[in-house]
Amino acid sequence: MNQKMNRSRFLQIAGLSAASLGLPRSLYARESTAAAPKQRPNIIFIFTDDHASHAISAYGSKINQTPNLDRIADGGMRFDNCFCTNSICAPSRAVILTGKHSHLNSVPTNRETFDGAQQTFPKLLRQAGYQTAIVGKWHLKSDPTGFDFWNVLIGQGPYYNPPLKTPEGVVKHTGYTTDILTDVALDWLKNKRDSQKPFMLMYQHKAPHRNWQPGPGYLHMYDDQTIPEPDTLFDDYANRTSAAKTQEMTVERHLNDNDLKLIPPKNLTPEQLEAWNKAYDPKNEAFRTAGLQGKDLVRWKYQRYMKDYLRCIASVDENVGRVLDYLDQSGLADNTVVIYSSDQGFYLGDHGWFDKRWMYEESLRMPFMVRWPGVTAPGAVNTDLVQNLDFAETFLDIASADIPSGMQGRSLVPLLQGRTPSDWRQSIYYHYFEFPAVHSVQRHYGVRTQRHKLIHYYLIDEWELFDLQADPHELKSVYNDPAYADTVRRLKAELHRLRVQYKATGDQNLFPPPKTE
Ligand code: CA
């Protein structure tokens, strides 16, 4: 019923759109089918941490169901080729806030402190008359700037009983973090904002970040099920560079006792600990005495890891449902753009790994779904190359605010309207900096097109080329295959062109300097 109404509204507005009549978009964004002028759209940016698109049923997940996240895709547009510029937590957030690549926004790795004095899209939206708020994971060390309201986790924040930093000081909460962040966000929406102004709310979860602690209601979800294994769980890294062989992020060897729940969290209340021990202790005992080895042990660890990861997502899904329900009940849904994304993808046992960092598909790709009633056709799918670099520009465009020339991405509003510009990008640029560091993933930059991916591990001067059509799992680099010599030449030129375009050719390639000890 709702979907039908949205579709008919979409067709009605699409037929009347100012853009199709060649009028400026700023007029279009403010026009309305109603007699009274319509307020500019509200924006709710739902952002999670480490949620791979292949754990969302709208993206065809083989391992879980996410009915509430799917409501966003069903009611709007699912982007199948949204990619991060640098696959790690804080840098992705800094790119989104600034619309600039990592080498220009002060946060190339998780180590730096975000320069809160610089230009960000929340500041610009606030100047344009929006109320701005952020609830949840911030992870940029400095205090948030550009927000009328902020309640953020301290650093990574815990899964249970989170203290939240606010302008008035730290506030303690008892309960499960995903639930609490939703309570705070809903309280702001219902009781604390100025209802006369359009708003932009960043509602940002810690989940499903490592170490994947499920909420009390989901501790036993999947107890009697076996999660399907990915095709590449036992990847041997043949036919790739030395980088793939020297990383430290395998399910087999690098999950620790906290990850595997062989020891309980330290900050639980007695009631929480009792529920926790009921879920994990008997299995710990079975594991310790079972004597599993080799592939059997990898399989056990994979199940342990993946069930907890998916349980965390189940809480996210439930809580996103609470927010969507409130939007429906309050009447806000009709004029609110709802976006779901996560800071990067993640390895769900793919290539034998957990974690992210690489330019390989599973961590490069971000989930990105946008529901914009009356503008985006319900159930639409877009396959253009887009990036988190484009989010700031898109939010500003939705609000009919000017996009500063220093931002490096491009508004996705035309794509959301179903009209990709003919000069849309045909390649994306990527650069990962955090090495030497945990998980030992070599620094690399590269270029991806719809068909190919060229990666340069520049500290060791090794290259990989993947033909994504012939080899979607990226198991065989064809960099040295003479049949691909022209492709290598063409992509090296394209990589250089992108590095010039993004002002990425200077000393920042080695920024921050490698540790010498
Ligand atoms: Ca992350």
Side-chain angles (χ1 to χ4, degrees):
M1 181 74 167
N2 271 343
Q3 195 161 327
K4 273 186 185 168
M5 287 181 65
N6 284 341
R7 192 185 300 276
S8 81
R9 276 197 67 210
F10 165 74
L11 292 173
Q12 186 183 8
I13 292 178
L16 294 171
S17 89
S20 67
L21 298 173
L23 298 175
R25 227 200 60 74
S26 58
L27 292 177
Y28 164 74
R30 290 188 176 89
E31 81 176 352
S32 168
T33 52
K38 193 169 167 182
Q39 196 175 48
R40 287 172 293 170
N42 307 306
I43 299 168
I44 298 187
F45 180 51
I46 310 171
F47 198 58
T48 50
D49 198 315
D50 295 356
H51 189 182
S53 55
H54 51 310
I56 296 176
S57 39
Y59 279 94
S61 170
K62 297 171 183 167
I63 53 177
N64 68 332
Q65 294 292 315
T66 49
N68 289 298
L69 301 185
D70 294 0
R71 287 163 68 182
I72 301 170
D74 292 345
M77 183 174 278
R78 186 190 81 208
F79 288 79
D80 282 1
N81 284 321
C82 181
F83 301 109
C84 58
T85 66
N86 180 2
S87 182
I88 190 166
C89 307
S92 179
R93 286 153 212 277
V95 168
I96 289 168
L97 285 168
T98 61
K100 293 176 182 173
H101 273 282
S102 297
H103 59 275
L104 298 181
N105 69 27
S106 79
V107 183
T109 77
N110 273 345
R111 297 170 184 142
E112 294 81 18
T113 297
F114 183 72
D115 170 13
Q118 66 188 307
Q119 170 185 275
T120 64
F121 85 83
K123 288 183 186 176
L124 294 167
L125 284 180
R126 202 179 184 195
Q127 286 170 19
Y130 271 63
Q131 275 230 308
T132 58
I134 180 167
V135 174
K137 188 163 178 182
W138 169 249
H139 199 229
L140 290 167
K141 295 191 173 79
S142 53
D143 284 350
T145 53
F147 296 95
D148 295 295
F149 177 89
W150 53 272
N151 267 221
V152 296
L153 294 166
I154 300 167
Q156 290 282 359
Y159 270 104
Y160 280 83
N161 312 322
L164 292 181
K165 195 172 186 186
T166 78
E168 293 77 37
V170 174
V171 179
K172 291 182 179 174
H173 294 265
T174 302
Y176 189 59
T177 299
T178 306
D179 301 331
I180 288 165
L181 296 178
T182 308
D183 293 343
V184 173
L186 284 172
D187 182 46
W188 183 78
L189 282 172
K190 291 175 184 173
N191 306 315
K192 292 187 172 155
R193 67 188 174 88
D194 177 353
S195 62
Q196 299 305 304
K197 289 182 174 179
F199 66 82
M200 188 283 297
L201 167 65
M202 300 172 78
Y203 160 56
Q204 311 206 149
H205 289 289
K206 170 199 175 61
H209 191 277
R210 190 183 188 184
N211 62 355
W212 319 293
Q213 294 177 8
Y218 293 97
L219 284 165
H220 294 276
M221 190 180 192
Y222 304 114
D223 266 1
D224 301 321
Q225 296 178 45
T226 301
I227 309 298
E229 294 171 2
D231 293 339
T232 58
L233 181 60
F234 296 103
D235 192 352
D236 62 3
Y237 316 120
N239 303 308
R240 269 145 292 164
T241 61
S242 65
K245 302 173 181 77
T246 55
Q247 47 66 37
E248 296 174 355
M249 48 187 274
T250 63
V251 171
E252 180 180 12
R253 288 177 290 124
H254 301 104
L255 289 169
N256 63 33
D257 284 2
N258 276 311
D259 298 331
L260 294 168
K261 316 297 162 20
L262 300 177
I263 46 178
K266 292 192 172 91
N267 65 334
L268 301 186
T269 66
E271 295 76 18
Q272 290 165 348
L273 183 61
E274 187 182 351
W276 187 272
N277 282 336
K278 274 185 188 162
Y280 292 107
D281 265 0
K283 290 173 192 161
N284 288 356
E285 198 54 38
F287 166 65
R288 289 180 193 286
T289 58
L292 294 172
Q293 289 185 341
K295 285 189 175 181
D296 290 339
L297 182 56
V298 174
R299 291 197 157 102
W300 185 89
K301 288 181 178 179
Y302 168 77
Q303 292 295 323
R304 190 79 158 189
Y305 154 47
M306 195 48 45
K307 286 181 181 181
D308 282 339
Y309 180 86
L310 297 177
R311 287 163 179 151
C312 291
I313 290 169
S315 276
V316 169
D317 187 72
E318 178 196 334
N319 279 285
V320 168
R322 290 174 62 203
V323 172
L324 296 179
D325 287 347
Y326 172 68
L327 295 179
D328 287 342
Q329 290 153 12
S330 64
L332 283 168
D334 279 349
N335 197 34
T336 299
V337 185
V338 178
I339 297 110
Y340 184 84
S341 189
S342 194
D343 53 357
Q344 10 59 217
F346 213 65
Y347 295 93
L348 311 181
D350 314 282
H351 297 294
W353 295 338
F354 64 97
D355 212 72
K356 53 259 184 179
R357 300 166 195 273
W358 298 90
M359 197 185 168
Y360 299 145
E361 292 292 273
E362 294 86 350
S363 58
L364 179 66
R365 178 172 283 108
M366 304 167 72
F368 188 54
M369 305 181 282
V370 182
R371 187 180 80 178
W372 188 356
V375 173
T376 299
V381 176
N382 179 290
T383 58
D384 297 315
L385 300 175
V386 307
Q387 294 200 272
N388 53 347
L389 190 67
D390 304 318
F391 292 5
E393 296 83 340
T394 303
F395 298 150
L396 292 169
D397 202 8
I398 287 170
S400 298
D402 291 336
I403 300 168
S405 60
M407 288 189 173
Q408 297 184 309
R410 194 166 172 185
S411 168
L412 302 173
V413 167
L415 283 64
L416 291 165
Q417 294 168 329
R419 289 191 300 273
T420 302
S422 57
D423 62 346
W424 194 255
R425 71 170 69 90
Q426 298 299 308
S427 65
I428 59 146
Y429 176 64
Y430 179 89
H431 194 158
Y432 172 75
F433 296 83
E434 194 173 292
F435 179 92
V438 63
H439 296 311
S440 269
V441 175
Q442 276 284 346
R443 293 180 193 207
H444 54 290
Y445 54 67
V447 55
R448 186 199 191 280
T449 64
Q450 290 280 4
R451 169 83 185 268
H452 296 104
K453 185 185 296 178
L454 179 74
I455 306 174
H456 188 202
Y457 302 92
Y458 52 90
L459 294 182
I460 51 177
D461 196 22
E462 295 187 47
W463 294 80
E464 285 173 343
L465 174 71
F466 296 100
D467 181 338
L468 300 169
Q469 192 171 301
D471 178 26
H473 291 313
E474 300 168 293
L475 296 174
K476 185 182 181 189
S477 169
V478 290
Y479 180 76
N480 292 314
D481 183 338
Y484 286 88
D486 281 350
T487 304
V488 167
R489 269 193 293 277
R490 183 171 53 79
L491 286 180
K492 282 189 174 176
E494 179 63 4
L495 180 58
H496 179 69
R497 187 192 70 78
L498 288 171
R499 286 165 58 73
V500 170
Q501 175 187 332
Y502 292 128
K503 301 179 171 60
T505 54
D507 292 342
Q508 62 268 19
N509 291 338
L510 295 178
F511 177 71
K515 285 181 183 168
T516 50
E517 67 268 28

